Amino acid sequence: MAGWVRGVACPTCFRALYTLECEDGQTEWKHKGTTLQRDALGHFVLCPECRTRVPHRIAADVPGFGFEVAR
Protein backbone atom coordinates (compact mmCIF):
# COMPACT_ATOMS: atom_id res chain seq x y z
CA MET A 1 0.00 0.00 0.00
CA ALA A 2 1.26 3.49 -0.82
CA GLY A 3 1.67 6.18 1.78
CA TRP A 4 3.64 9.18 2.94
CA VAL A 5 6.85 9.45 4.97
CA ARG A 6 8.22 12.57 6.68
CA GLY A 7 11.80 12.45 7.91
CA VAL A 8 12.97 14.70 10.73
CA ALA A 9 16.72 15.41 10.95
CA CYS A 10 18.92 16.79 13.71
CA PRO A 11 19.64 20.49 13.04
CA THR A 12 23.23 20.03 14.26
CA CYS A 13 24.53 16.84 12.59
CA PHE A 14 21.70 16.28 10.07
CA ARG A 15 21.26 12.61 11.02
CA ALA A 16 17.71 11.23 11.06
CA LEU A 17 15.95 11.61 14.42
CA TYR A 18 12.72 9.86 13.46
CA THR A 19 10.19 9.35 10.70
CA LEU A 20 6.47 9.92 10.59
CA GLU A 21 4.53 7.55 8.32
CA CYS A 22 0.95 7.73 7.11
CA GLU A 23 -0.63 5.13 4.85
CA ASP A 24 -3.17 6.20 2.25
CA GLY A 25 -6.63 6.32 3.82
CA GLN A 26 -5.31 6.87 7.36
CA THR A 27 -5.55 10.16 9.19
CA GLU A 28 -2.88 9.71 11.88
CA TRP A 29 0.90 9.77 11.50
CA LYS A 30 2.88 6.93 13.13
CA HIS A 31 6.15 7.86 14.86
CA LYS A 32 9.19 5.58 14.38
CA GLY A 33 12.63 6.33 15.82
CA THR A 34 14.00 8.41 18.69
CA THR A 35 11.58 8.83 21.59
CA LEU A 36 10.04 12.16 22.50
CA GLN A 37 10.95 13.15 26.07
CA ARG A 38 9.94 15.90 28.47
CA ASP A 39 11.82 17.81 31.17
CA ALA A 40 11.50 21.15 32.98
CA LEU A 41 12.23 23.02 29.73
CA GLY A 42 9.56 21.18 27.72
CA HIS A 43 9.36 18.45 25.10
CA PHE A 44 12.48 17.38 23.20
CA VAL A 45 14.24 14.62 21.28
CA LEU A 46 17.85 13.77 22.11
CA CYS A 47 19.87 13.09 18.94
CA PRO A 48 21.35 9.59 19.15
CA GLU A 49 24.39 10.67 17.11
CA CYS A 50 25.59 14.03 18.53
CA ARG A 51 23.43 14.15 21.72
CA THR A 52 21.94 17.57 20.82
CA ARG A 53 18.69 18.37 22.64
CA VAL A 54 16.20 19.19 19.87
CA PRO A 55 13.20 21.07 21.34
CA HIS A 56 9.69 20.20 20.13
CA ARG A 57 6.36 21.96 20.49
CA ILE A 58 2.78 20.77 20.26
CA ALA A 59 1.47 20.91 16.69
CA ALA A 60 -2.18 20.32 15.90
CA ASP A 61 -1.38 19.68 12.21
CA VAL A 62 0.40 16.35 12.90
CA PRO A 63 -2.46 14.07 14.03
CA GLY A 64 -1.29 10.97 15.84
CA PHE A 65 2.14 12.34 16.83
CA GLY A 66 1.14 15.90 17.67
CA PHE A 67 4.61 17.53 17.85
CA GLU A 68 7.03 19.37 15.58
CA VAL A 69 10.57 20.74 15.93
CA ALA A 70 10.48 24.14 17.65
CA ARG A 71 12.43 26.68 15.64
Side-chain angles (χ1 to χ4, degrees):
M1 181 181 280
W4 298 91
V5 175
R6 291 183 185 179
V8 178
C10 174
T12 302
C13 71
F14 306 107
R15 298 285 177 123
L17 292 175
Y18 57 85
T19 59
L20 298 172
E21 299 178 8
C22 187
E23 296 291 335
D24 287 344
Q26 293 181 332
T27 58
E28 294 189 355
W29 290 86
K30 294 182 182 176
H31 172 266
K32 293 184 179 179
T34 308
T35 306
L36 185 75
Q37 301 177 49
R38 184 181 174 135
D39 62 12
L41 298 175
H43 294 92
F44 70 97
V45 169
L46 192 60
C47 178
E49 184 69 25
C50 70
R51 310 304 289 170
T52 297
R53 182 187 185 280
V54 183
H56 278 57
R57 64 177 175 219
I58 295 173
D61 65 336
V62 188
F65 182 59
F67 292 89
E68 65 184 2
V69 175
R71 305 228 185 248

